Amino acid sequence: MKFAHVWLKVLLMFLFLKKHQGTRLGNSSYETESCKSCSHLTLKVEFSSTVVEHEYIVAFTGYYTAKARNKFISTALKSRGIDDWKIVPRNNPASDYPSDFELIEIKTSQRDTVLTLEDHPNIKRVTPQRRVFRSLKFVDSEMPAPCNETKWSQKWQSSRPLRRTSLSLSSGFWHATGRHSSRRLLKAIPRQVAQTLQADVLWQLGYTGSNVKVAVFDTGLSEKHPHFKNVKERTNWTNEKTLDDGLGHGTFVAGVIASMRECQGFAPDSELHIYRVFTNNQVSYTSWFLDAFNYAILKKIDVLNLSIGGPDFMDHPFVDKVWELTANNVIMVSAIGNDGPLYGTLNNPADQMDVIGVGGIDFEDNIARFSSRGMTTWELPGGYGRMKPDIVTYGSGVRGSGLKGGCRSLSGTSVASPVVAGAVTLLVSTVQKRELVNPASMKQALIASARRLPGVNMFEQGHGKLDLLRAYQILNSYKPQASLSPSYVDLTECPYMWPYCSQPIYYGGMPTIVNVTILNGMGVTGRIVDKPDWQPYLPHNGDNIEVAFSYSPVLWPWSGYLAISISVAKKAASWEGIAQGHIMVTIASPEENEAKNGAEQFSIVKLPIKVKIIPTPPRSKRVLWDQYHNLRYPPGYFPRDNLRMKNDPLDWNGDHVHTNFRDMYQHLRSMGYFVEVLGAPFTCFDASQYGTLLLVDSEEEFFPEEISKLRRDVANGLSLVVFSDWYNTSVMRKVKFYDENTRQWWMPDTGGANIPALNDLLSVWSMSFSDGIYEGDFIMANHDMYYASGCSIAKFPEEGAVISHTLKDQGQEVLKQETSLVQNVPVLGMYQTPSEGGGRIVLYGDSNCLDDSHRQKDCFWLMDAVLQYTSYGVMPPSLSHSENRQKPPSGEGITPPERMEGNHLHRYSKVLETHLGDPKPRPLPNCPHLSWAKPVPLNETAPRYYARTL
């Protein structure tokens, strides 16, 4: 073995001097070129998601036999006299083993039955059975494609907004080789990805994936496919009587991992376990996945490539089972999503701390446009998202096995995922002490060895590009330990540390929150010993910053979080410079050795901190973004702000200045404004510090105390800017959906914005929005504008300035009453409050022009003009003297929109709670209180740290 390591080092030196080539074997038969005889087709995929009527998944608190499960359900229902139910048979390989769930059919009284079942002490929760369906249509391609290359695109519709999509042929992860790529990429020759990542070096050392069990959850695999020599087991979890792949996606994924010829996979000698969880009609059910996951645990699978994903990180049966899988030492690899380049589009389960989330790049090391970007949005509004993806690798023009043989080229993060799964499988086979390999240690090796891509930020690339050989070196010298992701925090390092590096910190500002993931390679469970220590470097002005912590009470499975809040000390209010220090964290984990029962092993990790401090900016330059009153999917159904986006109805990107309002944030920074985020009620900020409060696309209600405080704040000089959206109860009923939890038709809990709540907030100034919905192109102050499902101003003070434009009544069109009604609509209002030193208020009826997720024409110029007005009292002549200026509407004859009767906003609201069936405000919560860590100053120089770059 020593000789092998010496040989590897020599070979590495030689290979790193060579220019990377697409196919190292040099076989021309591996190349794919355009040819006239090839069929050039694009596969269009339509996706629908529905619930299975009357079927429920009953999850138990543990694993029980079928007899015990039946008894628990019978006992619970018999106590209420409910007889109209039955257990749905599940004939699959897991049916002979104890299970932690049951599938039942309930015909009547579904709501009461669910509540009755959940009262049973052995039943954890009850959720509906779901089905997904895809249909494929071939159409002529727009341009010649390489031979045997299929381009994929997708569209989906849903009677229930999509929660999790399959990554089989119709998946949201599955995209054309060129759909989000340049023309140059479409013409590029697809590469042999295993050789490009130098898997052949490890093959020459005798490592080929042997004795590693890798599972592919997908569309199956034919028994006699010529590319595979070690298919250990094929299992079918569908209701079809076949194990074969009728679609090709499962075959492709398996080929990237384990093909032994032509388009070679990474680990040809690995034990391939094929889980067929989709039918040839492209249908799957939640219960099929849960059974298959349980079987994977029983079979002691080592590596699992998961080819599904979606925005619902609160899908409890699924998320819980993923945690259970990784807790049982299954290394799970999952695609991060194909919703890029928009930020805040991470898919679950790839966004989980215990899963290796993979993004995509092309063969020229550019981040693929389709690859989803971070941050995670679980933590909003009070916290801040985690860094994801974990790593990136090739996902454009990758070659894999064809359905019956030969090779094909495909693109998407669903392609990048099996690239990493194959690499992980190969890496596991190189480790002599297999007990050292677990989901945390593997992720630690991958991220520590990854090579940073220049000019790309952390929410695009994670830790960087997969480096297989470097990961091999780290893994084979690995000792169990804890580590952090990211491994340091440098608020001065751009662009990698965007958005942290985009704005310096200052005294009086909202604390900067950095959410760090703790990876615990010592064991599946662990804890932080005592508290983290903050150790500022005195020679580097570390005593000018203050640090506070919150963290996971238990690290499970294999991971936890460490949230760090950073603020500037009062003594540095007028100081400018760089401040540094580090945080020390001790992690404890139980010893695995039974002979040391009760003993613990420890690991100490250091997190360097570096920040840039500036003197506190003037009030006029400070803008506060209200995050607290923005709601998004999950947990509730909050519709898109643009009603034209019928194929993507969920508002799920976080509505944060660093996700789908990123471009607006960047613009404000370029204009010299300092943007801070409020994740707490209005009662929790000092309004004297800020020039303008921004309310954009607010869906939440307001506490009475918030309304009172804001009125006082505006009277004392705070300005208020509101960008609203549509709200119309008739339209909300029109876009109803079939709710999975209650088996009832439900309407959205708000419109694009919560207009009734905003009107309550604005009423003291005699302002309100209407329930009209308008759209159309127009010109304002010589700028092209597009109004997308916005509302109008119904009432405004007569001393104010109001701009109106001619727009189409979209609400009437949606309701099928009118198709071409055009109206002159008040869209913009600007008002100086009368009190001495009082603030200014601006209303605009549409936020879509600021939102990256569906912006057609931006209105950043309008935001500039608005902030000039609110900060300095300067109204541009193009607005003050506009020919479209009209008399402010008095509100006469206009009925203000009312809250929809029977809505369920209280279920998801931070403000409302139910009281005898009538929602009312909760007690006002306490403001967040940070306990600043006692510093342990160090009179020493900060060490330098370096990132590995390409």
Side-chain angles (χ1 to χ4, degrees):
M1 188 53 64
K2 287 184 179 180
F3 174 77
H5 282 284
V6 171
W7 159 241
L8 176 63
K9 290 180 181 178
V10 173
L11 194 56
L12 287 176
M13 292 176 63
F14 171 73
L15 288 172
F16 289 159
L17 291 174
K18 292 180 63 178
K19 182 178 180 180
H20 277 231
Q21 298 177 0
T23 303
R24 295 186 177 275
L25 298 183
N27 190 331
S28 61
S29 66
Y30 286 24
E31 297 186 352
T32 303
E33 299 187 7
S34 296
C35 61
K36 294 181 180 180
S37 61
C38 289
S39 60
H40 307 305
L41 298 177
T42 297
L43 182 61
K44 297 236 178 195
V45 184
E46 293 185 354
F47 183 93
S48 63
S49 173
T50 61
V51 296
V52 183
E53 191 173 9
H54 304 306
E55 289 189 6
Y56 283 87
I57 294 170
V58 180
F60 298 96
T61 56
Y63 283 80
Y64 300 99
T65 63
K67 182 178 180 181
R69 299 194 305 268
N70 191 318
K71 182 179 179 180
F72 295 151
I73 296 173
S74 316
T75 302
L77 297 181
K78 185 181 257 186
S79 66
R80 297 294 182 91
I82 300 172
D83 299 317
D84 195 7
W85 67 277
K86 68 178 181 179
I87 291 178
V88 179
R90 310 196 316 271
N91 300 314
N92 58 52
S95 58
D96 295 331
Y97 299 92
S99 177
D100 62 343
F101 80 96
E102 193 65 85
L103 183 63
I104 66 172
E105 181 180 304
I106 305 171
K107 290 294 186 182
T108 58
S109 305
Q110 293 147 8
R111 175 73 174 166
D112 293 339
T113 303
V114 168
L115 294 175
T116 299
L117 285 170
E118 290 181 337
D119 285 339
H120 193 280
N122 294 103
I123 294 177
K124 183 163 58 175
R125 67 172 57 90
V126 181
T127 53
Q129 166 85 312
R130 290 199 299 270
R131 174 179 60 190
V132 294
F133 175 77
R134 294 154 302 281
S135 62
L136 312 179
K137 296 179 182 178
F138 287 96
V139 297
D140 289 336
S141 179
E142 295 177 357
M143 60 179 297
C147 284
N148 206 21
E149 177 173 344
T150 305
K151 301 197 304 179
W152 309 92
S153 62
Q154 60 87 29
K155 132 174 158 177
W156 59 266
Q157 296 176 343
S158 175
S159 62
R160 168 66 168 97
L162 180 64
R163 301 182 78 174
R164 191 176 301 281
T165 63
S166 163
L167 293 188
S168 63
L169 295 179
S170 65
S171 76
F173 286 168
W174 198 258
H175 284 273
T177 294
R179 184 181 178 207
H180 294 295
S181 306
S182 67
R183 185 172 297 272
R184 173 176 52 80
L185 287 177
L186 277 173
K187 293 182 177 180
I189 300 299
R191 309 288 183 88
Q192 289 285 58
V193 68
Q195 286 84 358
T196 301
L197 288 170
Q198 300 177 291
D200 47 340
V201 175
L202 297 183
W203 297 342
Q204 293 173 34
L205 295 175
Y207 302 121
T208 55
S210 58
N211 298 318
V212 181
K213 298 178 181 179
V214 56
V216 175
F217 277 61
D218 225 290
T219 56
L221 179 69
S222 63
E223 182 179 11
K224 297 181 179 180
H225 195 289
H227 286 184
F228 306 97
K229 63 180 178 181
N230 194 15
V231 179
K232 189 70 174 180
E233 185 178 29
R234 296 184 304 147
T235 52
N236 177 37
W237 305 87
T238 74
N239 54 13
E240 293 180 338
K241 304 301 181 182
T242 180
L243 294 164
D244 292 345
D245 182 4
L247 298 175
H249 183 272
T251 302
F252 182 90
V253 169
V256 172
I257 295 171
S259 173
M260 68 175 180
R261 59 170 59 95
E262 294 186 275
C263 33
Q264 288 183 289
F266 286 83
D269 288 321
S270 60
E271 282 189 15
L272 202 53
H273 293 250
I274 303 298
Y275 290 70
R276 188 175 186 270
V277 291
F278 283 98
T279 68
N280 286 333
N281 290 326
Q282 303 156 74
V283 173
S284 185
Y285 292 83
T286 301
S287 61
W288 294 355
F289 273 100
L290 298 182
D291 269 331
F293 285 153
N294 283 340
Y295 193 68
I297 294 172
L298 288 169
K299 288 294 180 176
K300 300 187 183 300
I301 293 297
D302 297 308
V303 182
L304 191 154
N305 186 80
L306 197 60
S307 294
I308 64 172
D312 189 2
F313 54 78
M314 298 182 75
D315 183 5
H316 288 292
F318 194 90
V319 172
D320 289 352
K321 189 57 65 176
V322 170
W323 282 335
E324 185 180 351
L325 277 160
T326 57
N328 280 276
N329 218 34
V330 178
I331 301 171
M332 185 172 293
V333 183
S334 186
I336 207 67
N338 276 5
D339 297 294
L342 186 64
Y343 282 68
T345 53
L346 302 174
N347 280 225
N348 180 266
D351 63 350
Q352 293 184 207
M353 290 184 284
D354 54 321
V355 175
I356 299 171
V358 184
I361 59 174
D362 62 29
F363 281 99
E364 295 178 5
D365 293 339
N366 301 307
I367 297 292
R369 180 175 172 80
F370 55 73
S371 188
S372 289
R373 273 71 165 168
M375 60 182 177
T376 61
T377 58
W378 298 41
E379 299 80 6
L380 299 177
Y384 194 82
R386 290 170 284 109
M387 181 174 80
K388 281 280 183 169
D390 294 303
I391 57 171
V392 294
T393 193
Y394 301 122
S396 293
V398 172
R399 288 165 59 85
S401 298
L403 184 60
K404 301 298 183 182
C407 301
R408 71 191 329 171
S409 170
L410 297 173
S411 298
T413 54
S414 63
V415 174
S417 181
V419 169
V420 171
V424 166
T425 303
L426 179 57
L427 287 169
V428 172
S429 71
T430 70
V431 180
Q432 303 303 311
K433 295 182 179 180
R434 191 66 64 84
E435 67 275 9
L436 295 179
V437 178
N438 58 56
S441 65
M442 181 57 70
K443 184 186 282 193
Q444 287 172 329
L446 292 177
I447 65 179
S449 60
R451 291 188 175 271
R452 178 91 50 90
L453 300 177
V456 180
N457 73 53
M458 60 196 293
F459 289 136
E460 293 178 297
Q461 65 169 311
H463 290 267
K465 174 187 172 183
L466 171 67
D467 186 332
L468 179 63
L469 296 185
R470 177 64 178 156
Y472 161 76
Q473 292 175 322
I474 290 177
L475 199 58
N476 278 272
S477 60
Y478 179 81
K479 294 181 180 180
Q481 60 190 276
S483 64
L484 304 175
S485 172
S487 59
Y488 66 93
V489 176
D490 185 349
L491 275 59
T492 70
E493 182 187 1
C494 271
Y496 181 71
M497 280 282 172
W498 186 95
Y500 299 111
C501 65
S502 64
Q503 181 169 291
I505 63 175
Y506 40 84
Y507 175 69
M510 292 289 171
T512 295
I513 303 173
V514 183
N515 199 340
V516 175
T517 297
I518 303 171
L519 297 172
N520 179 22
M522 299 181 291
V524 65
T525 186
R527 64 185 178 89
I528 291 180
V529 179
D530 298 325
K531 295 180 180 179
D533 287 328
W534 163 236
Q535 300 181 352
Y537 295 118
L538 295 182
H540 296 278
N541 308 296
D543 55 338
N544 282 335
I545 53 178
E546 298 177 323
V547 172
F549 310 107
S550 63
Y551 46 86
S552 302
V554 177
L555 309 179
W556 184 92
W558 309 103
S559 58
Y561 72 87
L562 171 63
I564 304 158
S565 298
I566 305 173
S567 280
V568 177
K570 185 176 182 178
K571 68 176 185 176
S574 301
W575 182 78
E576 181 170 0
I578 303 296
Q580 292 181 254
H582 67 243
I583 295 166
M584 300 294 292
V585 186
T586 301
I587 309 298
S589 198
E591 284 277 6
E592 297 293 330
N593 192 335
E594 294 182 2
K596 299 181 179 180
N597 189 27
E600 289 184 312
Q601 48 189 328
F602 298 90
S603 179
I604 300 175
V605 289
K606 178 191 292 187
L607 183 73
I609 303 288
K610 184 178 182 181
V611 302
K612 180 180 180 181
I613 298 174
I614 62 170
T616 303
R619 180 184 188 184
S620 60
K621 283 293 186 181
R622 295 178 62 180
V623 175
L624 188 61
W625 171 273
D626 173 31
Q627 188 67 40
Y628 187 77
H629 296 94
N630 287 338
L631 300 175
R632 85 288 187 206
Y633 176 88
Y637 173 28
F638 299 100
R640 283 287 192 188
D641 306 320
N642 186 347
L643 289 171
R644 292 290 178 196
M645 298 185 67
K646 297 178 182 179
N647 289 336
D648 192 6
L650 297 176
D651 191 355
W652 65 281
N653 304 131
D655 286 347
H656 192 279
V657 291
H658 299 154
T659 58
N660 52 307
F661 288 94
R662 175 181 183 268
D663 288 352
M664 180 208 71
Y665 166 79
Q666 293 286 81
H667 178 80
L668 292 180
R669 287 294 300 125
S670 71
M671 298 302 293
Y673 292 101
F674 295 86
V675 184
E676 302 173 39
V677 177
L678 177 65
F682 292 162
T683 52
C684 298
F685 78 97
D686 179 3
S688 66
Q689 298 286 318
Y690 300 93
T692 304
L693 174 66
L694 276 181
L695 273 67
V696 179
D697 187 22
S698 301
E699 295 94 355
E700 181 62 280
E701 294 284 334
F702 298 92
F703 289 103
E705 296 89 340
E706 290 185 286
I707 296 175
S708 299
K709 178 180 182 292
L710 186 60
R711 291 170 180 173
R712 295 193 302 269
D713 291 340
V714 171
N716 291 323
L718 177 70
S719 289
L720 174 66
V721 174
V722 180
F723 278 74
S724 185
D725 278 301
W726 69 273
Y727 185 101
N728 182 289
T729 55
S730 297
V731 172
M732 290 161 67
R733 293 186 180 95
K734 188 75 175 179
V735 295
K736 64 184 179 180
F737 69 91
Y738 193 66
D739 182 72
E740 296 183 355
N741 295 309
T742 64
R743 299 296 177 126
Q744 299 175 2
W745 286 99
W746 277 40
M747 274 68 69
D749 295 308
T750 70
N754 190 339
I755 297 299
L758 286 172
N759 285 348
D760 288 347
L761 188 73
L762 298 168
S763 61
V764 70
W765 299 292
S766 298
M767 300 178 184
S768 66
F769 290 106
S770 77
D771 66 353
I773 306 176
Y774 305 96
E775 71 166 345
D777 293 287
F778 60 96
I779 295 176
M780 180 187 287
N782 298 318
H783 292 271
D784 289 335
M785 300 284 284
Y786 176 69
Y787 217 65
S789 305
C791 66
S792 65
I793 297 173
K795 185 178 182 181
F796 207 73
E798 61 181 16
E799 300 85 2
V802 170
I803 305 295
S804 66
H805 284 278
T806 302
L807 299 171
K808 183 168 64 174
D809 190 330
Q810 187 182 15
Q812 296 302 313
E813 180 181 348
V814 172
L815 296 172
K816 306 295 185 184
Q817 297 177 12
E818 298 284 349
T819 57
S820 59
L821 186 63
V822 176
Q823 299 182 28
N824 193 43
V825 178
V827 296
L828 175 67
M830 308 175 80
Y831 173 66
Q832 168 70 63
T833 58
S835 58
E836 184 178 353
R840 302 169 185 89
I841 301 175
V842 177
L843 306 185
Y844 189 69
D846 179 26
S847 73
N848 288 280
C849 58
L850 300 174
D851 190 337
D852 302 344
S853 62
H854 36 67
R855 183 180 66 245
Q856 295 189 28
K857 297 175 183 177
D858 74 63
C859 58
F860 298 158
W861 73 268
L862 179 59
M863 181 64 81
D864 293 342
V866 163
L867 291 179
Q868 281 290 313
Y869 176 67
T870 59
S871 299
Y872 308 107
V874 178
M875 185 184 299
S878 58
L879 293 176
S880 61
H881 296 85
S882 171
E883 61 181 12
N884 295 102
R885 183 167 176 174
Q886 70 164 57
K887 180 181 179 181
S890 65
E892 292 183 9
I894 300 177
T895 303
E898 299 289 338
R899 292 168 177 83
M900 186 163 61
E901 185 176 351
N903 76 76
H904 300 92
L905 182 61
H906 61 274
R907 294 182 179 177
Y908 322 110
S909 172
K910 302 178 291 296
V911 177
L912 299 179
E913 64 180 359
T914 56
H915 178 69
L916 300 177
D918 185 22
K920 69 170 189 177
R922 303 173 186 267
L924 181 71
N926 294 327
C927 294
H929 174 72
L930 294 175
S931 180
W932 301 108
K934 184 178 180 180
V936 182
L938 299 175
N939 193 19
E940 60 185 64
T941 303
R944 301 186 68 179
Y945 48 89
Y946 300 93
R948 288 161 39 81
T949 59
L950 291 177

